[in-house]
Amino acid sequence: MSASAMPSIDLLGEQIAAVLADPTTTHGLARALRSAAREIELHRYHRTTHRTRPSNQVGDRIAKVQIGGGAHRIAGFFNIDLVPPADLLWDIREGIPLQDNSTDEIFSEHFLEHIDYPRSAKHYAREVHRVLAPEGHVITGVPDAAFALSQYPRPLADNEEMLERWYSKRDCRGSVNTRLDLVNLVFRDQDDDPTYTPHLWAYDEEKLVQLFTEAGFGAVEPWAFDPTMANPKRRWGSVYVVATK
């Protein structure tokens, strides 16, 4: 099919919505189409911003940047995210829209596990290194896979705190029936609820150190949790590191 014959993104979205509304659509196809519909929505946001910034860069120097903050905003930080609310709507998988050596601090938590590895995750780490000024640093927090695995030998009843903190408001709570279900949720959370973004890779401290060291950072160390920056509800069961350029 030629490029001119390809359906527009908007038309494709309408076609997907029509198929999803069809009661005969199978569960497997519906899951795949919901994922496609989500990517179309993200593409629309990214495309709108890209039209106003064809160079893919913010012109001004921004001292502090938050990546993927969602509703959790940090005072004094410029938030770049895929979806509203954000100061700039941008698909970070396509790079960070900042100039070289143009920021001092980047913060993200519970973002990295939602992008594909190795392509997007390694590209993100390299981009963070590029945009940080010398001696600048990035703070990264993710669900701690090592913590989840350490709970595995214990009876499921001993994991009630994890269940309550992480999954009490989720439809998947009733499907957490064994200890391995908890491990699977950390590694590959694939809830059918479209309000949740799947986990695509799991991380522990060792993996974070390797990822940022490979990207060129000189030091990667544990980060002492600071509730004035990080979301307090993320403290339990997460691992944070700070990587310095």
Side-chain angles (χ1 to χ4, degrees), residues 77-158:
F77 279 72
F78 183 84
N79 187 37
I80 303 173
D81 205 342
L82 288 139
V83 295
D87 297 307
L88 182 69
L89 296 174
W90 190 264
D91 189 342
I92 290 296
R93 293 171 297 183
E94 301 302 310
I96 300 178
L98 301 174
Q99 298 181 41
D100 296 358
N101 307 308
S102 64
T103 189
D104 300 318
E105 184 174 18
I106 294 176
F107 179 88
S108 81
E109 60 181 344
H110 287 238
F111 154 76
L112 190 60
E113 71 274 15
H114 296 293
I115 63 175
D116 57 283
Y117 179 95
R119 182 198 178 279
S120 293
K122 290 194 174 189
H123 181 52
Y124 168 74
R126 292 191 298 267
E127 280 287 280
V128 167
H129 187 271
R130 176 184 65 80
V131 304
L132 281 171
E135 305 302 321
H137 62 269
V138 56
I139 299 166
T140 304
V142 292
D144 189 359
F147 171 77
L149 290 171
S150 73
Q151 306 300 301
Y152 175 67
R154 300 168 58 187
L156 183 63
D158 290 350

Side-chain angles (χ1 to χ4, degrees), residues 51-62:
R51 285 172 175 167
T52 64
R53 302 178 187 275
S55 67
N56 291 358
Q57 291 189 347
V58 175
D60 300 329
R61 188 181 192 282
I62 302 173

Side-chain angles (χ1 to χ4, degrees), residues 129-237:
H129 187 271
R130 176 184 65 80
V131 304
L132 281 171
E135 305 302 321
H137 62 269
V138 56
I139 299 166
T140 304
V142 292
D144 189 359
F147 171 77
L149 290 171
S150 73
Q151 306 300 301
Y152 175 67
R154 300 168 58 187
L156 183 63
D158 290 350
N159 291 287
E160 283 300 322
E161 184 174 13
M162 182 189 293
L163 290 168
E164 179 62 27
R165 286 177 179 269
W166 288 357
Y167 304 112
S168 63
K169 298 180 181 179
R170 298 276 295 276
D171 291 341
C172 67
R173 174 63 182 86
S175 298
V176 181
N177 310 123
T178 70
R179 294 165 294 174
L180 193 57
D181 290 332
L182 283 174
V183 174
N184 270 295
L185 282 167
V186 171
F187 277 77
R188 55 181 310 278
D189 188 342
Q190 304 287 326
D191 201 325
D192 262 349
D193 187 334
T195 61
Y196 292 96
T197 306
H199 288 184
L200 299 182
W201 206 258
Y203 295 86
D204 60 5
E205 183 177 318
E206 180 186 24
K207 183 58 193 175
L208 290 175
V209 170
Q210 183 275 323
L211 179 70
F212 287 107
T213 299
E214 181 183 282
F217 285 87
V220 187
E221 302 169 317
W223 182 68
F225 190 92
D226 180 358
T228 64
M229 289 180 60
N231 190 336
K233 74 176 184 179
R234 300 293 194 190
R235 183 171 194 165
W236 196 88

